[in-house]
Amino acid sequence: MKPLLLSTVLTLFSSLLIAQTFAEIDSGLEVDSIQARSIAYADIDGDTDLDLIIVGFVAGTGRVSRLYTNDGTGQFNEVSGTAFEGIMGSVAFFDVDNDDDEDLFLTGINSADVRLAKLYLNDGLGQFTEVPNTPFAGVTSGVRNESIAIADIDGDNDLDLLICGRDDTNMLVTKLYTNNGTGLFTEVAASPFTDMAGAVEFADIDGDDDPDLLLSGIINNNNFFVKLYTNDGAGNFSEVLNTPFEELLSESIVFSDIDGDNDLDVFMTGMTSFNSPSSKLYTNDGTGVFYEVLNSPIVDVFHSSAAFADIDGDNDQDLLLSGYVDAFTQITKLYVNNGIGNFTELLDTPFEQVAVGTVAFLDVDNDNDQDVLVDGLNNTPGLVLKLYANNGLISSIENQFNALDFEVDLFPNPVIGDEVKVCFTLEHNATLKFSLFDLNGRQWMQRQAHLSAGFHTFSIDIATLTTGTYLLQIEDGEQNGIFKIQVPE
């Protein structure tokens, strides 16, 4: 057998990894008739599984808000007789009154074409009651849940709320509301934020334990913009000037530590002012100063959605992405992270190709791994919502490419300490070549040894390796073995 080219090895490895990891669930979510929809998920009834709400428009019916409970295995059933008004807009779960259950906020346009915003309190069992006389402005934005951002902005241990979009006079607004801890909200007068429609997200960008704010969208003169504001800890925000961010009509802002340095980096997607799709990744130096990642393999998209999670158990953040790459082509792609922020696409994924929707990581079947939700418009065209279970077999594939005529054991794996031992027994004399690669194809080590028949232990020094997944290739001139090594934090 001729040695495999590394590119072939990586392609086969990626294909096998994802094929063994995800399988579509028959979830019972018959929601294809709901158009222009937004999705939020949380455990609403205290049974430790994630439930769903979907809001949107149904032809012949009008605006709807439909709640589905999960039986713990990823099977969903619609809840009848809920108190929610039907809307087309944005929706979010969060605990507004500090009673350890998930309440609901929604904002959008109802079947009477009235913009509204409503808050519903949860009794802990999934029964919701509307809160009257709230101060919220009803807005629509057309970009799913991203017009709502939630965080404790003033350090008083309750969750505050920011919304943006077009109000009932069709003017663009960005409004911030503080919470008194019982779910009573007050609008913050004269907040510094630009009125806009687009994506908003809170995150602690400068390591001072308070949430800062990033906004990206369109302002009243129809210009695209991105603005970053830092928080002084008391809810007072100041704009950060001279940021490197590309001006976007953004549909997705996602913060995550992609390079393992314990600060929050950011990924943004959307449409540029030149009407071209964009996907930009920016790393954080820990103080809130960002640098664009150049030559990223991540495809440019618009009408998009993105999410980060550790899907392969190697303690780094992988990326799920959907959207249009052009006017006719939808994609849903999964990129695996090598632990230092270098991403490689996993090929042959089973995911439906969608745009104008939502992708998310969530554990729908309570098995402590990250499943995948894919929602949006496919190329039929038609609306789909699909769930894919992560079957958790990633750690069992180390020897799938072993075509050697002898057994190989690696321990400890995941690695503990500064080395991993490779143990094997040769039935005859052989010359072996050992090569270590990361998932981007970069070679970290190569050694060759002339060995006699018998038992051997070969040690690999991993002290200089960063957290991530590595591939050990063993060749004897005729055959190959490919083995996965996990380097944890």
Side-chain angles (χ1 to χ4, degrees):
M1 179 183 295
K2 294 182 179 180
L4 292 173
L5 294 174
L6 177 65
S7 59
T8 303
V9 170
L10 290 173
T11 299
L12 290 174
F13 180 85
S14 297
S15 299
L16 178 61
L17 175 65
I18 194 63
Q20 287 198 339
T21 302
F22 291 98
E24 186 177 346
I25 299 173
D26 182 11
S27 66
L29 287 167
E30 300 295 335
V31 298
D32 292 353
S33 64
I34 305 177
Q35 305 172 43
R37 59 197 183 208
S38 300
I39 297 173
Y41 51 89
D43 177 14
I44 65 159
D45 47 11
D47 60 356
T48 70
D49 56 46
L50 293 174
D51 311 298
L52 286 173
I53 189 169
I54 303 174
V55 303
F57 172 78
V58 175
T61 300
R63 277 70 171 181
V64 297
S65 297
R66 293 180 178 171
L67 183 66
Y68 300 83
T69 55
N70 184 355
D71 69 358
T73 69
Q75 296 293 308
F76 290 84
N77 295 288
E78 185 176 354
V79 178
S80 60
T82 65
F84 310 134
E85 181 154 4
I87 66 153
M88 185 172 65
S90 301
V91 61
F93 287 108
F94 65 113
D95 182 7
V96 303
D97 50 5
N98 280 335
D99 62 353
D100 296 321
D101 57 43
E102 296 294 322
D103 308 302
L104 181 72
F105 176 79
L106 56 81
T107 181
I109 188 166
N110 66 8
S111 292
D113 290 332
V114 175
R115 289 177 173 87
L116 55 83
K118 294 201 173 186
L119 179 65
Y120 299 86
L121 296 184
N122 186 353
D123 67 356
L125 300 175
Q127 301 295 316
F128 290 84
T129 304
E130 184 181 346
V131 178
N133 303 317
T134 60
F136 307 119
V139 298
T140 58
S141 67
V143 288
R144 304 178 309 279
N145 298 355
E146 286 81 1
S147 61
I148 301 172
I150 299 159
D152 178 11
I153 65 159
D154 47 11
D156 60 355
N157 297 312
D158 56 45
L159 292 174
D160 309 300
L161 174 67
L162 181 140
I163 60 174
C164 68
R166 293 191 180 275
D167 66 10
D168 55 5
T169 66
N170 207 37
M171 293 296 296
L172 292 170
V173 297
T174 300
K175 291 182 177 289
L176 181 64
Y177 301 87
T178 55
N179 184 355
N180 74 344
T182 68
L184 180 64
F185 288 83
T186 303
E187 184 178 351
V188 176
S191 75
F193 307 131
T194 300
D195 291 330
M196 58 155 281
V200 291
E201 191 63 48
F202 286 111
D204 179 12
I205 63 157
D206 48 11
D208 60 356
D209 296 322
D210 56 46
D212 310 299
L213 182 66
L214 183 61
L215 304 93
S216 173
I218 188 170
I219 53 181
N220 276 320
N221 57 9
N222 291 323
N223 289 332
F224 297 170
F225 85 110
V226 177
K227 288 193 176 183
L228 180 66
Y229 298 85
T230 56
N231 185 354
D232 68 356
N236 301 307
F237 291 84
S238 300
E239 184 179 350
V240 179
L241 302 178
N242 301 316
T243 62
F245 305 124
E246 181 180 27
E247 292 184 343
L248 291 176
L249 175 56
S250 186
E251 297 117 8
S252 190
I253 297 174
V254 190
F255 284 96
S256 182
D257 179 10
I258 63 143
D259 49 10
D261 61 354
N262 297 313
D263 56 43
L264 291 175
D265 312 300
V266 67
F267 178 66
M268 302 171 62
T269 66
M271 183 69 76
T272 73
S273 57
F274 300 102
N275 292 320
S276 60
S278 176
S279 295
K280 297 285 188 181
L281 189 61
Y282 301 87
T283 56
N284 185 352
D285 72 353
T287 68
V289 176
F290 289 87
Y291 299 89
E292 183 181 346
V293 176
L294 301 177
N295 302 316
S296 167
I298 301 169
V299 65
D300 291 325
V301 288
F302 68 102
H303 290 327
S304 51
S305 180
F308 283 102
D310 178 13
I311 59 106
D312 49 8
D314 60 355
N315 298 312
D316 57 43
Q317 296 294 298
D318 309 301
L319 173 66
L320 182 66
L321 178 66
S322 72
Y324 281 112
V325 295
D326 56 46
F328 306 101
T329 309
Q330 301 96 325
I331 60 96
T332 302
K333 291 181 179 287
L334 183 60
Y335 296 87
V336 68
N337 186 352
N338 73 344
I340 59 173
N342 297 320
F343 290 87
T344 302
E345 183 185 349
L346 294 180
L347 303 177
D348 301 321
T349 62
F351 307 130
E352 189 87 11
Q353 308 297 296
V354 299
V356 198
T358 300
V359 293
F361 292 108
L362 64 168
D363 182 7
V364 298
D365 50 9
N366 267 346
D367 60 355
N368 297 313
D369 57 34
Q370 295 297 315
D371 309 306
V372 165
L373 179 148
V374 173
D375 171 67
L377 183 69
N378 67 13
N379 60 8
T380 305
L383 283 165
V384 296
L385 191 158
K386 294 191 175 184
L387 289 172
Y388 300 86
N390 185 343
N391 65 23
L393 295 180
I394 295 173
S395 63
S396 67
I397 67 171
E398 286 88 350
N399 301 322
Q400 291 294 326
F401 292 104
N402 186 9
L404 298 167
D405 60 5
F406 55 89
E407 295 296 323
V408 176
D409 293 316
L410 285 75
F411 71 91
N413 190 21
V415 179
I416 300 172
D418 292 337
E419 67 176 16
V420 59
K421 294 185 182 298
V422 184
C423 301
F424 51 90
T425 299
L426 295 177
E427 294 184 359
H428 48 77
N429 297 347
T431 298
L432 299 184
K433 184 167 72 173
F434 301 84
S435 305
L436 186 67
F437 301 91
D438 63 27
L439 293 184
N440 287 312
R442 180 169 49 184
Q443 186 177 86
W444 290 81
M445 179 276 295
Q446 186 176 90
R447 288 170 60 182
Q448 185 167 293
H450 304 284
L451 303 172
S452 60
F455 178 78
H456 296 273
T457 298
F458 180 83
S459 295
I460 299 175
D461 183 3
I462 58 90
T464 61
L465 299 184
T466 57
T467 299
T469 301
Y470 295 83
L471 301 181
L472 175 66
Q473 183 175 25
I474 303 175
E475 304 172 63
D476 67 0
E478 292 294 328
Q479 298 176 320
N480 292 270
I482 306 296
F483 306 90
K484 186 178 68 166
I485 296 175
Q486 296 282 9
V487 179
E489 287 186 283

